[in-house]
Amino acid sequence: MAKKSKKQQQSGGTPATVALTAAGVEFTVHAYEHDPSHPSYGEEAAEAMGVSPDRVFKTLVADVDGTLMVGVVPVAGTLDLKALASAVGGKRATMADPALAERTTGYVRGGISPLGQRKKLRTVLDSSARDHATVCVSAGRRGLEVELAPGDLAELTGAVLAPIGRG
């Protein structure tokens, strides 16, 4: 794990860390060696950082009634698509095509961040994030996470908080 100064983040940062720096939000960058053979990006991040999986959140792109949006849930569980649709007043949600998610956000699968997306998508953050002083989300590439206060994450993404995680 590496902690970078704000100056380092701006010079070699991802769109997510650049957005956090520009917003003046306090955050910590955690880097680790990504293992392509690991079965779960999120669980790998939690293990590598030594952080409880309920504090590490994955960013999932879904299609709700024809509109792409983001669900951010703990890596230890899954996204409840019905709850996601309900949280935004929709009827039906399905997981987005991975290639479309990558093109829309500007990030690769396993490194999609809720922050600094190419096209800012409407975001729903699982309400369990409020249970923690800080949470970790992808910083925009595999092997790189940012840790920040859940309130800051919600504010910067314009997220609705709702119980959208299962398990």
Side-chain angles (χ1 to χ4, degrees):
M1 283 184 281
K3 187 173 180 177
K4 295 184 178 182
S5 71
K6 285 191 178 183
K7 190 171 187 171
Q8 287 172 312
Q9 292 158 5
Q10 284 180 314
S11 64
T14 65
T17 60
V18 170
L20 287 165
T21 301
V25 170
E26 192 172 311
F27 66 99
T28 303
V29 175
H30 299 275
Y32 60 92
E33 194 63 39
H34 167 60
D35 175 3
S37 68
H38 200 288
S40 166
Y41 297 118
E43 289 175 15
E44 176 192 26
E47 290 167 12
M49 294 186 301
V51 173
S52 172
D54 64 339
R55 278 190 50 226
V56 179
F57 283 64
K58 56 189 169 186
T59 305
L60 302 169
V61 181
D63 180 313
V64 179
D65 299 333
T67 302
L68 290 182
M69 45 193 67
V70 169
V72 184
V73 297
V75 301
T78 59
L79 174 62
D80 181 335
L81 290 166
K82 187 174 182 178
L84 175 66
S86 177
V88 296
K91 294 181 181 174
R92 185 171 181 274
T94 58
M95 292 305 298
D97 173 72
L100 179 60
E102 289 179 345
R103 276 194 315 274
T104 304
T105 63
Y107 294 119
V108 297
R109 203 178 73 178
I112 294 178
S113 178
L115 301 156
Q117 297 172 356
R118 180 178 292 147
K119 178 182 179 192
K120 186 175 179 179
L121 299 176
R122 188 167 180 193
T123 302
V124 181
L125 174 61
D126 185 70
S127 54
S128 70
R130 288 187 280 220
D131 299 341
H132 309 286
T134 61
V135 294
C136 299
V137 296
S138 176
R141 70 173 184 256
R142 297 173 189 149
L144 196 67
E145 296 278 313
V146 288
E147 180 178 352
L148 71 163
D152 289 336
L153 177 60
E155 185 177 329
L156 288 173
T157 59
V160 171
L161 271 80
I164 60 166
R166 274 191 290 181

